[in-house]
Amino acid sequence: LGRTTLSFGQRAETPESCLGRLAGQIDTLLTNDQPPLFAWHLRSIKALAMSEYAKLTLQVPQSQRHTVADRTKEFVDFVGTMADGLKRDCSDPNAYLRDGARSLILARPSEIDGSLQYMMVGLPKNWDPNRAYPLFVGLHGSGPDNPVAYPSYGFGALSPPKPDAPANPTADMIHLDPWGRGNRSWRNDAERDLLEAIDLLKTFCKLDPDRWY
């Protein structure tokens, strides 16, 4: 890729600088002992960013609707947002594992074709891995089809809680939001990805079999 500085929103960086910032921050965090789920989350974010960067280096458009320039601008914005988030509470495992304020991004090789797929997992506040929780599955509708779009949204600044806000009825549930390969209407391989995600979730979370939503 060329080194031309790109401007997307308020951001002016190259894909290389964004990826370098993100990878460097993650590598630094992983030099310390991290909880296994948080370490998996960090490695997943790095792998997803590197996978999307590799596509950019081909300099071949994905389609007429997705030019190299468009995808490059998206990469700079999404990956830069994640790197910025790691300067704040996104670098704290407690935000994910204790406070329930952030969702883990957990990637895996697909059983179908070995491609890199991911899911977002939101744990309840003071999550106890020995307790069975209700499961709330969120199936996104038509939205951005860039694989790092949804993960980047989870790295933005958190809004302060409103004291008069009503109680969240799903606060004490485990939230699972699979990627589902983008806008695939949860059919065929996207449906299989959902089932794979649930199976993977069961390897580290206990779920109440009578309360799945």
Side-chain angles (χ1 to χ4, degrees):
L1 283 174
R3 297 285 173 167
T4 302
T5 298
L6 298 166
S7 179
F8 188 78
Q10 299 298 314
R11 193 178 300 282
E13 288 186 271
T14 64
E16 291 82 4
S17 66
C18 288
L19 181 60
R21 281 202 300 133
L22 181 72
Q25 290 166 303
I26 289 174
D27 290 344
T28 298
L29 288 168
L30 290 174
T31 60
N32 301 315
D33 288 335
Q34 301 288 355
L37 279 179
F38 186 64
W40 181 7
H41 162 79
L42 293 174
R43 292 193 299 267
S44 297
I45 291 299
K46 182 179 177 181
L48 287 166
M50 292 178 68
S51 175
E52 291 309 298
Y53 178 77
K55 296 175 188 176
L56 293 180
T57 64
L58 296 173
Q59 291 289 288
V60 176
Q62 178 179 338
S63 67
Q64 291 183 348
R65 292 189 304 109
H66 300 298
T67 66
V68 175
D70 289 340
R71 285 307 200 196
T72 301
K73 290 177 182 178
E74 291 175 357
F75 183 90
V76 168
D77 187 56
F78 296 144
V79 174
T81 295
M82 292 190 284
D84 291 344
L86 287 174
K87 297 178 182 178
R88 302 187 301 268
D89 65 309
C90 295
S91 63
D92 181 3
N94 288 328
Y96 302 82
L97 305 177
R98 183 194 66 193
D99 302 336
R102 300 275 183 184
S103 292
L104 296 160
I105 312 297
L106 303 177
R108 71 193 190 284
S110 167
E111 293 181 12
I112 301 171
D113 55 12
S115 62
L116 188 63
Q117 303 297 327
Y118 71 89
M119 61 185 182
M120 294 174 283
V121 177
L123 300 172
K125 189 174 182 179
N126 298 316
W127 172 61
D128 178 359
N130 295 311
R131 174 187 162 191
Y133 289 87
L135 172 64
F136 187 91
V137 180
L139 302 181
H140 66 78
S142 180
D145 61 358
N146 189 311
V148 293
Y150 287 111
S152 77
Y153 300 158
F155 280 74
L158 295 174
S159 301
K162 297 180 180 179
D164 56 346
N168 181 355
T170 67
D172 200 38
M173 299 182 183
I174 291 174
H175 288 238
L176 172 65
D177 296 276
W179 164 234
R181 300 180 185 240
N183 301 320
R184 303 291 288 274
S185 301
W186 302 103
R187 297 172 182 167
N188 303 318
D189 52 0
E191 181 181 19
R192 287 186 60 186
D193 280 343
L194 166 61
L195 299 177
E196 283 184 22
I198 292 174
D199 287 342
L200 190 59
L201 183 67
K202 290 178 180 178
T203 64
F204 59 88
C205 285
K206 290 188 176 181
L207 305 175
D208 184 334
D210 296 322
R211 293 190 292 170
W212 287 26
Y213 308 96

